[in-house]
Amino acid sequence: MPYLAAASRYDSMPYRRVGRSGLKLPAISLGLWQNFGGADVFETGRAVLRRAFDRGVTHFDLANNYGPPYGSAEENFGRWMAQDFRPYRDELIISSKAGYDMWPGPYGNFGSRKYLVASCDQSLKRMGLDYVDIFYHHRPDPETPLEEAMGALDHIVRSGRALYVGISSYSPELTHRAHAILAAQGTPFIIHQPSYSMLNRWVEEGLLDTLAGLGLGCIAFSPLAQGLLTRKYLDGVPAGTRATRGGSLKSSMLSEENIQRIRELAAIAEARGQSLAQMAIAWVLRRPEITSALVGARRVEQLDDSLDALANLDFSADELAAIDRYALEGDVDLWRAQSRVQPSE
């Protein structure tokens, strides 16, 4: 049967303005970093996307190398667009990125004009789109001058490949520099995508203040710390979970100290009448600088649990103080080194 989106899809999702731009994002967006590639079940991913849109999630976030294998998340998304979402294209915000390893040789990584423009073209082809709504530089490049990378983003907009641009994992100082370059060119730079969770609070050390001052939005990825901020690892590592796949969730992250802090946080969530995942998302969204929390989901049930965080976004002062006792750096920030990169002059 053809997919028909729920008539009630805009009834309960709050939408937040992206900085000082005219764009709004849903408070919770869906990321396709994990679980939507060629190694995953196509119809399961399709069901998750359908459910997300039915509940008001209008923003789907991708990157050129999401999979595995590289590119396959965008290829699958192109099929879902063709089969289900083409009639709703103007109701959707679709983003992609480039900056990490994608193809062999010297032109398939980082931030040269050659790589960024070619990556955007490849992403559009895989997804069957004329344009993306937001195109990001995925990380700073230590060798390419910032002016070149930002110039490529400007070109991508002026050539009609994207409506807006953003950056990811840039430091506060480098964000200022990028903003100055793009503002001088008149480029619609509107958003930063950093990692942020109760176990990874680096953005509170100046980045959120920088974004507020510059009028930029912020979409926080990995608010559940790759699933650590759920109950799934409190009694060991279940078979089939991300921690068993040897990928981005390292066994060292499941330290005794982290697990004990997660148990304490889970108790606070239970007292609030929420799952730990719901509280973790609500906690990220408590900051006015955060436009959207970017979540993933392996199943429709996981997605529903995350979206149900919207039922209770308020925290008392006592709750925040209790959370602060356990919401400490957990050595889970895989992207910290990227935020320290300084491009060549």
Side-chain angles (χ1 to χ4, degrees):
M1 294 292 292
Y3 169 63
L4 183 64
S8 60
R9 61 188 177 276
Y10 295 118
D11 290 353
S12 58
M13 174 65 71
Y15 297 88
R16 297 181 172 192
R17 187 181 176 198
V18 184
R20 289 196 286 267
S21 77
L23 188 67
K24 292 183 178 180
L25 294 182
I28 298 176
S29 301
L30 181 64
L32 279 68
W33 174 29
Q34 309 271 352
N35 307 312
F36 296 91
D40 301 293
V41 179
F42 180 84
E43 288 300 330
T44 300
R46 185 183 190 185
V48 170
L49 263 70
R50 285 181 168 193
R51 180 64 169 168
F53 189 53
D54 283 346
R55 293 195 59 177
V57 177
T58 54
H59 178 28
F60 299 139
D61 179 79
L62 298 103
N64 58 351
N65 65 352
Y66 286 177
Y70 289 174
S72 60
E74 289 185 332
E75 289 171 354
N76 281 344
F77 185 77
R79 294 173 63 190
W80 294 319
M81 277 295 301
Q83 293 175 8
D84 294 333
F85 296 105
R86 186 69 60 191
Y88 306 102
R89 174 64 183 98
D90 292 334
E91 297 181 43
L92 295 173
I93 302 298
I94 300 166
S95 62
S96 192
K97 320 175 199 70
Y100 283 93
D101 176 56
M102 183 59 192
W103 64 82
Y107 318 119
N109 205 341
F110 283 115
S112 70
R113 182 183 182 94
K114 167 76 171 174
Y115 171 60
L116 292 178
V117 175
S119 287
C120 187
D121 285 342
Q122 290 181 16
S123 291
L124 293 175
K125 183 177 180 179
R126 282 190 289 269
M127 293 188 286
L129 299 176
D130 297 323
Y131 68 95
V132 290
D133 297 277
I134 305 171
F135 189 78
Y136 292 88
H137 188 207
H138 210 163
R139 61 168 172 171
D141 180 351
E143 297 185 351
T144 300
L146 188 62
E147 290 78 7
E148 178 176 340
M150 296 304 101
L153 295 185
D154 179 72
H155 173 74
I156 284 168
V157 170
R158 293 185 189 279
S159 62
R161 294 170 169 92
L163 301 183
Y164 305 92
V165 299
I167 57 176
S168 180
S169 297
Y170 273 52
S171 68
E173 184 270 336
L174 202 58
T175 299
H176 269 288
R177 288 178 55 194
H179 181 268
I181 294 167
L182 291 169
Q185 297 175 128
T187 315
F189 171 34
I190 64 169
I191 194 164
H192 190 300
Q193 187 176 131
S195 60
Y196 183 38
S197 74
M198 291 191 289
L199 299 179
N200 175 18
R201 301 180 65 166
W202 76 280
V203 300
E204 297 174 4
E205 301 167 4
L207 181 62
L208 292 181
D209 289 341
T210 294
L211 299 180
L214 295 175
L216 298 174
C218 182
I219 180 167
F221 76 85
S222 204
L224 303 184
Q226 299 193 72
L228 283 177
L229 290 169
T230 67
R231 300 189 65 93
K232 71 174 67 171
Y233 297 113
L234 294 185
D235 299 307
V237 180
T241 55
R242 191 183 301 186
T244 66
R245 301 180 208 165
S248 56
L249 181 56
K250 311 299 183 184
S251 58
S252 61
M253 299 175 186
L254 297 168
S255 66
E256 184 176 336
E257 293 81 2
N258 276 349
I259 295 301
Q260 183 55 41
R261 286 197 288 267
I262 293 166
R263 286 196 178 98
E264 299 290 351
L265 292 168
I268 298 170
E270 185 175 356
R272 283 171 49 83
Q274 287 183 308
S275 70
L276 175 56
Q278 290 165 359
M279 185 179 80
I281 293 167
W283 182 87
V284 165
L285 289 171
R286 84 198 187 287
R287 296 282 306 223
E289 303 93 339
I290 301 295
T291 308
S292 185
L294 185 60
V295 305
R298 291 186 67 193
R299 306 184 312 275
V300 168
E301 294 79 10
Q302 286 182 339
L303 174 71
D304 279 336
D305 184 71
S306 292
L307 294 178
D308 287 346
L310 298 171
N312 185 8
L313 296 178
D314 297 324
F315 291 87
S316 69
D318 287 344
E319 286 173 332
L320 290 174
I323 289 169
D324 278 342
R325 287 198 289 271
Y326 307 107
L328 306 174
E329 290 297 320
D331 196 25
V332 303
D333 187 357
L334 301 177
W335 309 273
R336 183 175 296 274
Q338 306 304 323
S339 66
R340 296 170 175 161
V341 167
Q342 292 297 318
S344 67
E345 298 297 334

